[in-house]
Amino acid sequence: MKIVVTGTEGYLGALLAPTLLDAGHSVLGIDTGYYKQGWLYNGVTASVETLAKDIRHVTVEDLAGADAVVHMAELSNDPLGELIPDVTYVVNHKGSVRLAETAKAAGVSRFVYMSSCSVYGVAEDTVDETSAVNPQTAYAECKALVERDVAPLADDDFSPTFMRNATAYGASPRQRFDIVLNNLAGLAYTTGKIAMTSDGSPWRPLVHGLDIAKSIRAVLDAPREKVHNEVFNVGDSEQVYRVREIAEAVGRALPEAEITFGQSNGGDNRSYKVNFDKIHATLEGFSCDWNADKGAQQLVDVFKAIDLDEATFTGRGHTRLKQLEHLISTEQLDKELFWRVQPTSGIAQ
């Protein structure tokens, strides 16, 4: 297949694109380049042609001849969404719907959208794909809105699939340290401590970035009728952890690190248990190869190999909010997050 992947220079895109190439597909990346400086190590990456372009500017011509679009490029995570909620809605909601419409107009038959389990927000009972969504942040609400607005585009020629990823973790050349397991592992490695300000009681489903890539391959390989306009929670029901259990997994990979917990607080009230039976039952051969312990050990091994220091861990290159704040404050981006000085146009290797 010829596959267009948006966000190839991001945390997950850097893992997905080589996976698709290894499977024999041809891949064109599209990425506006916000996070070019976030390169942590030379990993298992193949050279992917990347079009330097904002998703809001993608044209029918850009997508011509593609069999599938995998859309990963949005303003990522809750703190960033709360910093600039108006722009988040324009990019993540309106921009993603426009991209789907453009893909349909270009004759693209498959559209795989990276949604999130964060659409469930706060839930007392275990949730699955049939449960009501309850987004708590601008980021999560945009995910739910894109699902709502892209689903009606489905027809005999255009087949969207919505992937509600659990919270990602694991090593990537384009590393992120602003997600829970990665953050705790970096904190433990660089400071020798994990001093949590809460009691760690909320529930979080986790999924390794390579397992997310595996799920996308499985969707693209699946018969159309199995994935047409379907929603899948991406993860494993065995990998739903309390936050304190995630910290303890990091502690097993770094037994010299000291872990302490605080009191329950009302700051971040997201807590949800997720059922992942549907994806395992529907997509032949899909299973998760990773768990929190294995992922924590992978991160520690990478940290040792590159001699990770605290400046790198806390730097803006690996934290989405810090990097966007820098680009805005230095006026490299305007108030709508378009480049004031456009990056080099055309194809970059």
Side-chain angles (χ1 to χ4, degrees), residues 270-287:
R270 292 174 303 139
S271 182
Y272 42 90
K273 297 181 184 179
V274 180
N275 179 286
F276 296 95
D277 290 348
K278 179 179 177 180
I279 191 170
H280 293 270
T282 305
L283 300 183
E284 183 176 349
F286 176 74
S287 61

PDB file of all heavy atoms in Angstrom, residues 270-287:
ATOM      1  N   ARG A 270      -8.884  12.524  36.292  1.00  0.00           N
ATOM      2  CA  ARG A 270      -9.100  11.465  35.319  1.00  0.00           C
ATOM      3  C   ARG A 270      -8.759  10.105  35.929  1.00  0.00           C
ATOM      4  O   ARG A 270      -7.707   9.909  36.514  1.00  0.00           O
ATOM      5  CB  ARG A 270      -8.233  11.690  34.082  1.00  0.00           C
ATOM      6  CG  ARG A 270      -8.613  12.885  33.242  1.00  0.00           C
ATOM      7  CD  ARG A 270      -7.601  13.095  32.135  1.00  0.00           C
ATOM      8  NE  ARG A 270      -6.256  13.256  32.680  1.00  0.00           N
ATOM      9  CZ  ARG A 270      -5.164  12.711  32.147  1.00  0.00           C
ATOM     10  NH1 ARG A 270      -5.257  11.968  31.068  1.00  0.00           N
ATOM     11  NH2 ARG A 270      -3.985  12.913  32.699  1.00  0.00           N
ATOM     12  N   SER A 271      -9.686   9.181  35.793  1.00  0.00           N
ATOM     13  CA  SER A 271      -9.464   7.821  36.271  1.00  0.00           C
ATOM     14  C   SER A 271     -10.444   6.924  35.536  1.00  0.00           C
ATOM     15  O   SER A 271     -11.651   7.168  35.569  1.00  0.00           O
ATOM     16  CB  SER A 271      -9.686   7.732  37.788  1.00  0.00           C
ATOM     17  OG  SER A 271      -9.433   6.416  38.253  1.00  0.00           O
ATOM     18  N   TYR A 272      -9.935   5.915  34.855  1.00  0.00           N
ATOM     19  CA  TYR A 272     -10.824   5.057  34.099  1.00  0.00           C
ATOM     20  C   TYR A 272     -10.152   3.710  33.844  1.00  0.00           C
ATOM     21  O   TYR A 272      -8.964   3.610  33.598  1.00  0.00           O
ATOM     22  CB  TYR A 272     -11.228   5.696  32.760  1.00  0.00           C
ATOM     23  CG  TYR A 272     -10.107   6.379  32.012  1.00  0.00           C
ATOM     24  CD1 TYR A 272      -9.326   5.696  31.098  1.00  0.00           C
ATOM     25  CD2 TYR A 272      -9.822   7.729  32.232  1.00  0.00           C
ATOM     26  CE1 TYR A 272      -8.305   6.318  30.419  1.00  0.00           C
ATOM     27  CE2 TYR A 272      -8.789   8.364  31.562  1.00  0.00           C
ATOM     28  CZ  TYR A 272      -8.036   7.656  30.652  1.00  0.00           C
ATOM     29  OH  TYR A 272      -7.013   8.267  29.993  1.00  0.00           O
ATOM     30  N   LYS A 273     -10.963   2.653  33.971  1.00  0.00           N
ATOM     31  CA  LYS A 273     -10.550   1.317  33.587  1.00  0.00           C
ATOM     32  C   LYS A 273     -11.161   1.023  32.214  1.00  0.00           C
ATOM     33  O   LYS A 273     -12.330   1.305  31.980  1.00  0.00           O
ATOM     34  CB  LYS A 273     -11.037   0.285  34.594  1.00  0.00           C
ATOM     35  CG  LYS A 273     -10.476   0.441  36.003  1.00  0.00           C
ATOM     36  CD  LYS A 273     -11.032  -0.655  36.890  1.00  0.00           C
ATOM     37  CE  LYS A 273     -10.588  -0.504  38.325  1.00  0.00           C
ATOM     38  NZ  LYS A 273     -11.147  -1.575  39.190  1.00  0.00           N
ATOM     39  N   VAL A 274     -10.373   0.453  31.336  1.00  0.00           N
ATOM     40  CA  VAL A 274     -10.803   0.259  29.954  1.00  0.00           C
ATOM     41  C   VAL A 274     -10.742  -1.213  29.590  1.00  0.00           C
ATOM     42  O   VAL A 274      -9.795  -1.920  29.953  1.00  0.00           O
ATOM     43  CB  VAL A 274      -9.929   1.083  28.982  1.00  0.00           C
ATOM     44  CG1 VAL A 274     -10.369   0.883  27.543  1.00  0.00           C
ATOM     45  CG2 VAL A 274      -9.978   2.567  29.356  1.00  0.00           C
ATOM     46  N   ASN A 275     -11.748  -1.660  28.865  1.00  0.00           N
ATOM     47  CA  ASN A 275     -11.774  -3.019  28.337  1.00  0.00           C
ATOM     48  C   ASN A 275     -11.264  -3.004  26.894  1.00  0.00           C
ATOM     49  O   ASN A 275     -11.698  -2.182  26.081  1.00  0.00           O
ATOM     50  CB  ASN A 275     -13.210  -3.552  28.376  1.00  0.00           C
ATOM     51  CG  ASN A 275     -13.318  -4.949  27.811  1.00  0.00           C
ATOM     52  OD1 ASN A 275     -13.254  -5.148  26.610  1.00  0.00           O
ATOM     53  ND2 ASN A 275     -13.497  -5.931  28.684  1.00  0.00           N
ATOM     54  N   PHE A 276     -10.357  -3.917  26.588  1.00  0.00           N
ATOM     55  CA  PHE A 276      -9.733  -3.953  25.265  1.00  0.00           C
ATOM     56  C   PHE A 276     -10.047  -5.236  24.506  1.00  0.00           C
ATOM     57  O   PHE A 276      -9.329  -5.602  23.577  1.00  0.00           O
ATOM     58  CB  PHE A 276      -8.207  -3.798  25.405  1.00  0.00           C
ATOM     59  CG  PHE A 276      -7.776  -2.475  25.981  1.00  0.00           C
ATOM     60  CD1 PHE A 276      -7.534  -2.345  27.339  1.00  0.00           C
ATOM     61  CD2 PHE A 276      -7.636  -1.364  25.173  1.00  0.00           C
ATOM     62  CE1 PHE A 276      -7.142  -1.124  27.880  1.00  0.00           C
ATOM     63  CE2 PHE A 276      -7.236  -0.148  25.695  1.00  0.00           C
ATOM     64  CZ  PHE A 276      -6.991  -0.022  27.060  1.00  0.00           C
ATOM     65  N   ASP A 277     -11.131  -5.916  24.871  1.00  0.00           N
ATOM     66  CA  ASP A 277     -11.426  -7.211  24.253  1.00  0.00           C
ATOM     67  C   ASP A 277     -11.693  -7.094  22.755  1.00  0.00           C
ATOM     68  O   ASP A 277     -11.335  -7.986  21.972  1.00  0.00           O
ATOM     69  CB  ASP A 277     -12.646  -7.853  24.925  1.00  0.00           C
ATOM     70  CG  ASP A 277     -12.351  -8.311  26.346  1.00  0.00           C
ATOM     71  OD1 ASP A 277     -11.153  -8.336  26.722  1.00  0.00           O
ATOM     72  OD2 ASP A 277     -13.309  -8.634  27.079  1.00  0.00           O
ATOM     73  N   LYS A 278     -12.331  -6.008  22.316  1.00  0.00           N
ATOM     74  CA  LYS A 278     -12.774  -5.911  20.922  1.00  0.00           C
ATOM     75  C   LYS A 278     -11.615  -5.986  19.942  1.00  0.00           C
ATOM     76  O   LYS A 278     -11.682  -6.721  18.941  1.00  0.00           O
ATOM     77  CB  LYS A 278     -13.563  -4.608  20.712  1.00  0.00           C
ATOM     78  CG  LYS A 278     -14.042  -4.410  19.283  1.00  0.00           C
ATOM     79  CD  LYS A 278     -14.834  -3.103  19.129  1.00  0.00           C
ATOM     80  CE  LYS A 278     -15.245  -2.873  17.685  1.00  0.00           C
ATOM     81  NZ  LYS A 278     -16.024  -1.610  17.518  1.00  0.00           N
ATOM     82  N   ILE A 279     -10.541  -5.246  20.189  1.00  0.00           N
ATOM     83  CA  ILE A 279      -9.441  -5.213  19.227  1.00  0.00           C
ATOM     84  C   ILE A 279      -8.774  -6.573  19.118  1.00  0.00           C
ATOM     85  O   ILE A 279      -8.391  -7.020  18.032  1.00  0.00           O
ATOM     86  CB  ILE A 279      -8.417  -4.103  19.572  1.00  0.00           C
ATOM     87  CG1 ILE A 279      -7.432  -3.914  18.423  1.00  0.00           C
ATOM     88  CG2 ILE A 279      -7.694  -4.382  20.886  1.00  0.00           C
ATOM     89  CD1 ILE A 279      -6.547  -2.701  18.566  1.00  0.00           C
ATOM     90  N   HIS A 280      -8.674  -7.280  20.247  1.00  0.00           N
ATOM     91  CA  HIS A 280      -8.032  -8.597  20.231  1.00  0.00           C
ATOM     92  C   HIS A 280      -8.914  -9.625  19.532  1.00  0.00           C
ATOM     93  O   HIS A 280      -8.408 -10.537  18.863  1.00  0.00           O
ATOM     94  CB  HIS A 280      -7.715  -9.029  21.660  1.00  0.00           C
ATOM     95  CG  HIS A 280      -6.683  -8.190  22.322  1.00  0.00           C
ATOM     96  ND1 HIS A 280      -5.331  -8.468  22.265  1.00  0.00           N
ATOM     97  CD2 HIS A 280      -6.783  -7.045  23.047  1.00  0.00           C
ATOM     98  CE1 HIS A 280      -4.655  -7.534  22.930  1.00  0.00           C
ATOM     99  NE2 HIS A 280      -5.515  -6.658  23.411  1.00  0.00           N
ATOM    100  N   ALA A 281     -10.226  -9.475  19.655  1.00  0.00           N
ATOM    101  CA  ALA A 281     -11.150 -10.415  19.015  1.00  0.00           C
ATOM    102  C   ALA A 281     -11.309 -10.145  17.529  1.00  0.00           C
ATOM    103  O   ALA A 281     -11.556 -11.075  16.743  1.00  0.00           O
ATOM    104  CB  ALA A 281     -12.510 -10.352  19.706  1.00  0.00           C
ATOM    105  N   THR A 282     -11.150  -8.886  17.119  1.00  0.00           N
ATOM    106  CA  THR A 282     -11.451  -8.498  15.739  1.00  0.00           C
ATOM    107  C   THR A 282     -10.244  -8.564  14.825  1.00  0.00           C
ATOM    108  O   THR A 282     -10.349  -9.010  13.672  1.00  0.00           O
ATOM    109  CB  THR A 282     -12.025  -7.063  15.703  1.00  0.00           C
ATOM    110  OG1 THR A 282     -13.154  -6.983  16.573  1.00  0.00           O
ATOM    111  CG2 THR A 282     -12.438  -6.675  14.293  1.00  0.00           C
ATOM    112  N   LEU A 283      -9.099  -8.116  15.305  1.00  0.00           N
ATOM    113  CA  LEU A 283      -7.913  -8.020  14.447  1.00  0.00           C
ATOM    114  C   LEU A 283      -7.051  -9.259  14.616  1.00  0.00           C
ATOM    115  O   LEU A 283      -6.405  -9.451  15.656  1.00  0.00           O
ATOM    116  CB  LEU A 283      -7.117  -6.755  14.789  1.00  0.00           C
ATOM    117  CG  LEU A 283      -7.872  -5.426  14.620  1.00  0.00           C
ATOM    118  CD1 LEU A 283      -6.959  -4.257  14.907  1.00  0.00           C
ATOM    119  CD2 LEU A 283      -8.470  -5.313  13.216  1.00  0.00           C
ATOM    120  N   GLU A 284      -7.046 -10.071  13.600  1.00  0.00           N
ATOM    121  CA  GLU A 284      -6.347 -11.346  13.662  1.00  0.00           C
ATOM    122  C   GLU A 284      -4.849 -11.132  13.914  1.00  0.00           C
ATOM    123  O   GLU A 284      -4.193 -10.346  13.240  1.00  0.00           O
ATOM    124  CB  GLU A 284      -6.544 -12.106  12.358  1.00  0.00           C
ATOM    125  CG  GLU A 284      -5.923 -13.485  12.344  1.00  0.00           C
ATOM    126  CD  GLU A 284      -6.230 -14.230  11.055  1.00  0.00           C
ATOM    127  OE1 GLU A 284      -7.087 -13.743  10.284  1.00  0.00           O
ATOM    128  OE2 GLU A 284      -5.605 -15.278  10.837  1.00  0.00           O
ATOM    129  N   GLY A 285      -4.351 -11.827  14.909  1.00  0.00           N
ATOM    130  CA  GLY A 285      -2.926 -11.772  15.211  1.00  0.00           C
ATOM    131  C   GLY A 285      -2.500 -10.622  16.085  1.00  0.00           C
ATOM    132  O   GLY A 285      -1.316 -10.536  16.466  1.00  0.00           O
ATOM    133  N   PHE A 286      -3.430  -9.717  16.427  1.00  0.00           N
ATOM    134  CA  PHE A 286      -3.009  -8.592  17.264  1.00  0.00           C
ATOM    135  C   PHE A 286      -2.957  -8.995  18.724  1.00  0.00           C
ATOM    136  O   PHE A 286      -3.889  -9.576  19.273  1.00  0.00           O
ATOM    137  CB  PHE A 286      -3.933  -7.387  17.133  1.00  0.00           C
ATOM    138  CG  PHE A 286      -3.546  -6.272  18.073  1.00  0.00           C
ATOM    139  CD1 PHE A 286      -2.424  -5.503  17.822  1.00  0.00           C
ATOM    140  CD2 PHE A 286      -4.258  -6.046  19.246  1.00  0.00           C
ATOM    141  CE1 PHE A 286      -2.031  -4.504  18.706  1.00  0.00           C
ATOM    142  CE2 PHE A 286      -3.873  -5.052  20.130  1.00  0.00           C
ATOM    143  CZ  PHE A 286      -2.758  -4.277  19.856  1.00  0.00           C
ATOM    144  N   SER A 287      -1.844  -8.661  19.351  1.00  0.00           N
ATOM    145  CA  SER A 287      -1.690  -8.783  20.802  1.00  0.00           C
ATOM    146  C   SER A 287      -0.610  -7.799  21.212  1.00  0.00           C
ATOM    147  O   SER A 287       0.188  -7.355  20.377  1.00  0.00           O
ATOM    148  CB  SER A 287      -1.292 -10.211  21.211  1.00  0.00           C
ATOM    149  OG  SER A 287      -0.041 -10.558  20.625  1.00  0.00           O
TER     150      SER A 287
END
